[in-house]
């Protein structure tokens, strides 16, 4: 774990499985992970995965470290208003931030530089420090406001990656669809994985 950590933020959009699986894969790859999540993400995690994310960061860190068999100190969890967290400052930013899934509300806050919670602030730090910011947006259909905000953050340096899994790998389960999107995020983070074959590889 010599590289800078990767931050992952979970917000209240449907598709929380993408973010949870991403955290698991990053930890399995030996990366240090800094995790943040919103109150709405707690609700969605309970609804979609029967996963209870504790409100207390320390409790969540202990629970998820055990769940993912992470090494001691490999996973850090920060509270929504934990402004003293290292990720809140450009003097100690993570290598990248992935907001997965990303609500349209979070997208709007990032697009307009509104930092009312730690997730928004870390995204603001990534843009100002020219670090990697990936937003796995999940909504349908997109309004003109959503599309304009996506253009704004893209022009500011972020990568907008809608949660639109492909089907050419012939998925047999929901897990296969989740892994498709997680694989694309890992590719952008330059983290090695074997979640699915590369395009054309199976064709020789």
């Amino acid at each position: 774990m010599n590289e800078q950590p990767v931050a992952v933020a979970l917000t209240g959009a449907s598709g929380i499985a993408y973010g949870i699986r991403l955290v698991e894969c990053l930890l399995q790859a030996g990366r240090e992970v800094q995790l943040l999540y919103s109150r709405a993400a707690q609700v969605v995690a309970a609804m979609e995965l029967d996963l209870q994310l504790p409100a207390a960061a320390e409790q969540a860190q202990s629970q998820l470290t055990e769940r993912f068999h992470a090494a001691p100190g490999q996973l850090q969890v920060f509270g929504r208003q934990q402004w003293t967290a290292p990720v809140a400052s450009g003097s100690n930013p993570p290598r990248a931030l992935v907001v997965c899934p990303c609500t349209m509300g979070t997208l709007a806050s990032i697009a307009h530089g509104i930092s009312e919670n730690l997730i928004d602030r870390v995204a603001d730090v990534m843009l100002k420090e020219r670090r990697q910011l990936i937003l796995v947006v999940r909504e349908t259909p997109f309004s003109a406001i959503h599309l304009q905000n996506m253009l704004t953050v893209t022009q500011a340096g972020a990568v907008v990656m809608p949660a639109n899994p492909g089907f050419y790998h012939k998925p047999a389960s929901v897990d296969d669809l989740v892994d498709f999107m997680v694989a694309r995020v890992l590719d952008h983070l330059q983290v090695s994985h074997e979640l699915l074959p590369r395009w054309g590889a199976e064709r020789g």
Side-chain angles (χ1 to χ4, degrees), residues 20-102:
I20 296 297
R21 179 63 167 150
L22 175 62
V23 170
E24 180 181 22
C25 289
L26 286 169
L27 293 171
Q28 288 176 346
R31 301 305 172 98
E32 185 177 336
V33 176
Q34 296 171 321
L35 178 64
L36 311 90
Y37 52 81
S38 68
R39 284 192 182 91
Q42 291 176 266
V43 175
V44 176
M47 290 175 59
E48 296 186 350
L49 299 178
D50 293 323
L51 173 62
Q52 304 298 324
L53 292 174
E58 298 84 358
Q59 185 180 352
Q61 184 169 304
S62 176
Q63 174 182 306
L64 294 174
T65 294
E66 182 178 357
R67 176 189 177 97
F68 296 128
H69 307 291
Q74 188 183 4
L75 174 65
Q76 293 179 291
V77 180
F78 300 116
R80 288 179 286 274
Q81 303 296 326
Q82 193 173 336
W83 300 109
T84 57
V87 291
S89 173
S91 67
N92 195 12
R95 184 172 75 83
L97 168 65
V98 186
V99 185
C100 179
C102 181

Side-chain angles (χ1 to χ4, degrees), residues 110-111 126-128 130-131 150-158:
I110 295 169
M126 303 314 289
L127 293 177
K128 78 183 185 71
R130 302 296 191 267
R131 298 294 180 103
M150 288 184 217
L151 178 60
T152 297
V153 296
T154 299
Q155 290 172 334

Side-chain angles (χ1 to χ4, degrees), residues 18 162-171 173 176-181 184 196:
Y18 293 120
N164 297 333
F167 289 83
Y168 55 80
H169 63 306
K170 298 181 180 178
S173 67
D176 289 343
L177 294 173
V178 169
D179 280 355
F180 181 95
M181 282 307 308
R184 297 295 294 123
L196 71 161

